[in-house]
Structure formats: structure tokens, C-alpha cells
Amino acid sequence: MEQVEQVLTKGKHHRIIDWCWTICIISFVGFLVENSWNVFTAGRLDNRNMHLPFILGYGLAILGVYLFFGTPTDNNGLINISYKLNEVFQYASYALLVMIFICISELIVGNGMELLSNVHYWDFSDIPLHITRYTSILTSCAYSIIITFFMSHIFDRLMTWLSHFDDSGYKIIGLVLFILLALDMIISLDSMIMNKNFNQIWYIQIF
């Protein structure tokens, strides 16, 4: 546990409250990304099984990536990787590890929800190179490229910017928002498990 805390709070910019805000921001971006894909594939917007416009899984995924692998340049995760070759190999190996992490996470979450709620949380069966219905090489590769870019070009800048806020309002709002997201995820998933169905609250059919 102490090692995890050391990884999360590495450097003067990595405060726990900044992590709360980062997870919330990424969770909101995840909600937008999923609904953008939903519009493209089904012509509709919906609540993505949550009550709030956040999908905590995306924020937790970034947290997991950082805990295990750090960023492509600092190599300070729990899994230490020695980059001895050129920069291209450094980024490619990081992206590969992230892709494997995504595949494993999607298989665990997807199969776990199917076992508990009899719901197919998502379905990649129609996507080439899928591995069961819950993950695919193509989607995991796309996500890993996006995450690698984020971790190498945006993450440190975001954490540094957030570190400039030190008032009590920033800390209270960030903590409360994170707790609300966690409660929303627990309540929403519990509803799916109890009702054996999706937690659809609203949708807007665009076309």
C-alpha cells in the first residue's frame, strides 16, 4: 500500500486531490467518447447505464495504467520496465503493455457483469480481431494509442495545472465529486445486477 501511495504522489504535483479531479475529468471525457460512438453507430445518446454524465471506469483505467506502468518517459510504475533502445521502441512497448492491460480489464469486467447480471455490457463481436465479445485487438490498440498520447503529452501538464489550486473549495468539490461518481457506479451496477437488465434512464434518438 505504501508503494502504491508513493507512485500516486510522486513529485510535488501528484497530490491525491489532483488525482480525484483527474479521474473525474477523464470519466466525463469517457462519457462523451462513448456517446459519440453511440451516435455514430446507433444514432442516439443515452445515459450509458449511469445516473451522472461520467463513466468512472475510464478514470480508473488511467489510474491503473499509471500505477502499473507510469508514463512512457518516467518508468515509475509498480512494474518497472527498462527502456534500453530508442524512443520509438520505448513508446511502442508502453503502448503494447497498455493494450494488454485494456484487453485483460475488458475481459474481466465484461465477463464479470455477464456472470452477475446476465447482461452483455458491450459487444465487439462484429469487430475484426475480436477476442470473445468483450475485447478486440483493434479497439484495444486504438485505446492504447490514445492513452499513450495522453500519458506522454497531457498527463503531467494536467497534474501540474491542477497543483496550482490549493483552496478548500477546490479540495471539497473534487472529493465530493469523486465520491458521487463512485456511489453512482455502485448504485448503477447494483441496479443492473438486481434487475438483470441495462440501467437505461434516458435516451435521445437523433436519427
Side-chain angles (χ1 to χ4, degrees):
M1 190 65 186
E2 183 178 351
Q3 187 178 4
V4 170
E5 185 176 357
Q6 289 175 352
V7 172
L8 287 179
T9 58
K10 173 185 176 290
K12 62 181 180 180
H13 301 309
H14 294 61
R15 302 176 302 177
I16 296 297
I17 188 61
D18 296 335
W19 265 110
C20 289
W21 273 104
T22 298
I23 290 171
C24 292
I25 291 169
I26 298 301
S27 299
F28 178 67
V29 172
F31 179 84
L32 296 179
V33 168
E34 284 211 2
N35 258 314
S36 297
W37 179 252
N38 205 28
V39 170
F40 179 74
T41 57
R44 58 181 278 168
L45 299 169
D46 63 39
N47 63 295
R48 308 311 300 155
N49 296 304
M50 299 292 144
H51 296 82
L52 300 175
F54 300 86
I55 302 178
L56 187 58
Y58 283 84
L60 295 180
I62 292 297
L63 174 64
V65 167
Y66 186 79
L67 275 174
F68 283 110
F69 312 121
T71 70
T73 54
D74 65 19
N75 186 28
N76 70 311
L78 296 174
I79 299 177
N80 293 318
I81 308 157
S82 179
Y83 298 121
K84 297 181 179 179
L85 298 181
N86 59 33
E87 187 177 7
V88 173
F89 177 82
Q90 178 176 328
Y91 280 83
S93 58
Y94 184 89
L96 177 61
L97 288 171
V98 172
M99 185 183 74
I100 295 171
F101 174 82
I102 292 170
C103 285
I104 293 173
S105 299
E106 287 182 330
L107 287 171
I108 292 173
V109 174
N111 283 290
M113 283 303 297
E114 181 178 353
L115 180 65
L116 294 172
S117 66
N118 200 33
V119 167
H120 297 150
Y121 209 175
W122 61 85
D123 195 341
F124 292 155
S125 298
D126 294 331
I127 297 178
L129 302 179
H130 65 272
I131 305 172
T132 76
R133 70 173 71 244
Y134 294 118
T135 192
S136 78
I137 300 298
L138 290 181
T139 55
S140 296
C141 183
Y143 275 125
S144 72
I145 292 172
I146 294 171
I147 291 173
T148 300
F149 177 83
F150 172 80
M151 296 303 289
S152 60
H153 293 88
I154 300 175
F155 174 78
D156 281 331
R157 290 183 174 90
L158 175 61
M159 295 295 275
T160 300
W161 177 67
L162 290 172
S163 71
H164 294 151
F165 299 94
D166 199 35
D167 58 280
S168 57
Y170 167 80
K171 296 175 181 178
I172 293 171
I173 293 173
L175 182 59
V176 169
L177 184 59
F178 177 78
I179 292 173
L180 286 175
L181 264 62
L183 290 174
D184 183 35
M185 183 180 71
I186 294 171
I187 293 170
S188 299
L189 294 181
D190 180 67
S191 175
M192 293 175 65
I193 293 171
M194 296 298 294
N195 298 321
K196 307 297 182 184
N197 203 352
F198 291 106
N199 184 42
Q200 182 172 293
I201 299 172
W202 60 266
Y203 76 92
I204 302 173
Q205 194 69 44
I206 299 177
F207 55 84

